[in-house]
Amino acid sequence: MSNVQSVERALSILNLLSKYPKGIKLTDLANRLKLSKATAHRLLATLIDLNYVRQDRETEKYKLGYQIVSMATYFLEGHDLISTARPHLTELSEQANETVHLCIEDNGMVLYIDKIESTQPIAMYSRIGSKAPMYCTAVGKVMLAGMEQQKCKELAASFDYQKMTPYTIDNPNKLLQEIAKVKRQGYAIDNQEITEGIRCIACPIVDYTDKTIASFSMSGPMNRLTNSDFEHTLIAKMLETSEAISRECGWPGEKNRVKNP
């Protein structure tokens, strides 16, 4: 069955607008989506009428409308994974007083679907609904480690490796070596790979089919998440939390491991 072109174009507009929280002008939007200005304007007018898009009167830029927020809220409230994981992640965050994220994979990217904030003076800037590359995030590396080997290799070869920091993994071979290490130890670490001065540790969430369906991370400044903390306390807490959430998702497997296809 072929796609309905108008629906496909409307959804492409929404996807593009999600990347421009400050808005984008009609000409730029049309050019990026390879649409005529007239077609883009007609689609935007319909989306505005339905409150999926709004236009700033001063800048004339188009932005996502509040109907998107409403839909996302209902989705997140009813998402079983979020409701299952949140009590465990809240407890983990309170014990360490650091920021904790819950993530899933979305078309080769990390998608943040929940966040428990730290009360520390220096907290993590991130938001629910934002995305990040898989190759330079601990949560991404955990999800890559839980994939079938062929899919993992294909994704590793497809990434546009950008140096976020001097510590960012910048080629497929290095990434696959890191993934092999994650599979052996059951967790992943991001040492300033996406943000300088920030360290993250991530573990998987595995379901009843023995599939890694999500990952979660604890993030904070290097001076708070020290190597000694990782070795003596945080890794153990993270692995315990991983097992607890996974068992609630039906996972009956061995303790503290990532699925290794």
Side-chain angles (χ1 to χ4, degrees), residues 187-219:
Y187 61 89
I189 293 176
D190 154 19
N191 274 320
Q192 308 185 80
E193 291 174 49
I194 191 168
T195 305
E196 283 198 71
I198 298 296
R199 175 177 279 157
C200 303
I201 178 172
C203 286
I205 296 175
V206 184
D207 71 2
Y208 64 97
T209 66
D210 204 27
K211 177 183 177 182
T212 298
I213 56 173
S215 59
F216 64 94
S217 67
M218 180 182 293
S219 308

Side-chain angles (χ1 to χ4, degrees), residues 117-156:
E117 291 273 14
S118 164
T119 60
Q120 298 270 27
I122 301 176
M124 290 288 298
Y125 173 75
S126 55
R127 66 182 188 275
I128 296 171
S130 62
K131 293 184 179 181
M134 299 188 79
Y135 64 88
C136 58
T137 54
V139 283
K141 288 186 276 188
V142 163
M143 286 186 280
L144 285 166
M147 292 178 181
E148 293 181 359
Q149 190 171 15
Q150 185 59 34
K151 182 180 179 182
C152 178
K153 287 183 177 180
E154 289 173 358
L155 276 175

Side-chain angles (χ1 to χ4, degrees), residues 45-215:
T46 300
L47 292 168
I48 288 172
D49 189 51
L50 296 173
N51 203 29
Y52 285 94
V53 172
R54 56 197 169 98
Q55 187 180 25
D56 188 304
R57 293 183 180 180
E58 293 184 3
T59 65
E60 297 185 346
K61 290 183 177 181
Y62 294 91
K63 304 177 181 181
L64 288 178
Y66 295 109
Q67 182 64 22
I68 296 291
V69 178
S70 177
M71 291 176 66
T73 300
Y74 285 127
F75 169 77
L76 292 174
E77 286 179 351
H79 200 295
D80 289 342
L81 175 61
I82 294 173
S83 59
T84 299
R86 181 165 262 273
H88 299 281
L89 299 184
T90 299
E91 181 180 357
L92 179 66
S93 178
E94 289 174 349
Q95 287 177 346
N97 199 12
E98 297 292 354
T99 298
V100 174
H101 293 99
L102 175 65
C103 305
I104 58 174
E105 184 258 336
D106 181 28
N107 291 321
M109 296 284 285
V110 170
L111 174 64
Y112 294 88
I113 61 173
D114 202 11
K115 176 183 180 182
I116 294 89
E117 291 273 14
S118 164
T119 60
Q120 298 270 27
I122 301 176
M124 290 288 298
Y125 173 75
S126 55
R127 66 182 188 275
I128 296 171
S130 62
K131 293 184 179 181
M134 299 188 79
Y135 64 88
C136 58
T137 54
V139 283
K141 288 186 276 188
V142 163
M143 286 186 280
L144 285 166
M147 292 178 181
E148 293 181 359
Q149 190 171 15
Q150 185 59 34
K151 182 180 179 182
C152 178
K153 287 183 177 180
E154 289 173 358
L155 276 175
S158 72
F159 293 140
D160 178 19
Y161 292 87
Q162 297 181 21
K163 274 285 197 181
M164 305 292 187
T165 76
Y167 308 96
T168 306
I169 290 174
D170 57 6
N171 68 70
N173 289 334
K174 288 183 181 178
L175 178 60
L176 291 174
Q177 289 174 9
E178 181 76 2
I179 296 308
K181 181 179 178 181
V182 173
K183 288 182 178 183
R184 292 194 301 270
Q185 64 191 17
Y187 61 89
I189 293 176
D190 154 19
N191 274 320
Q192 308 185 80
E193 291 174 49
I194 191 168
T195 305
E196 283 198 71
I198 298 296
R199 175 177 279 157
C200 303
I201 178 172
C203 286
I205 296 175
V206 184
D207 71 2
Y208 64 97
T209 66
D210 204 27
K211 177 183 177 182
T212 298
I213 56 173
S215 59

Side-chain angles (χ1 to χ4, degrees), residues 8-35 40 44 53 62-64:
E8 191 174 61
R9 286 174 169 176
L11 292 175
S12 296
I13 287 174
L14 295 178
N15 286 333
L16 180 65
L17 291 179
S18 71
K19 300 175 183 177
Y20 291 88
K22 294 183 179 179
I24 184 172
K25 289 198 171 183
L26 174 61
T27 301
D28 293 332
L29 181 147
N31 289 339
R32 289 181 182 278
L33 296 178
K34 298 181 179 179
L35 299 173
L44 285 165
V53 172
Y62 294 91
K63 304 177 181 181
L64 288 178

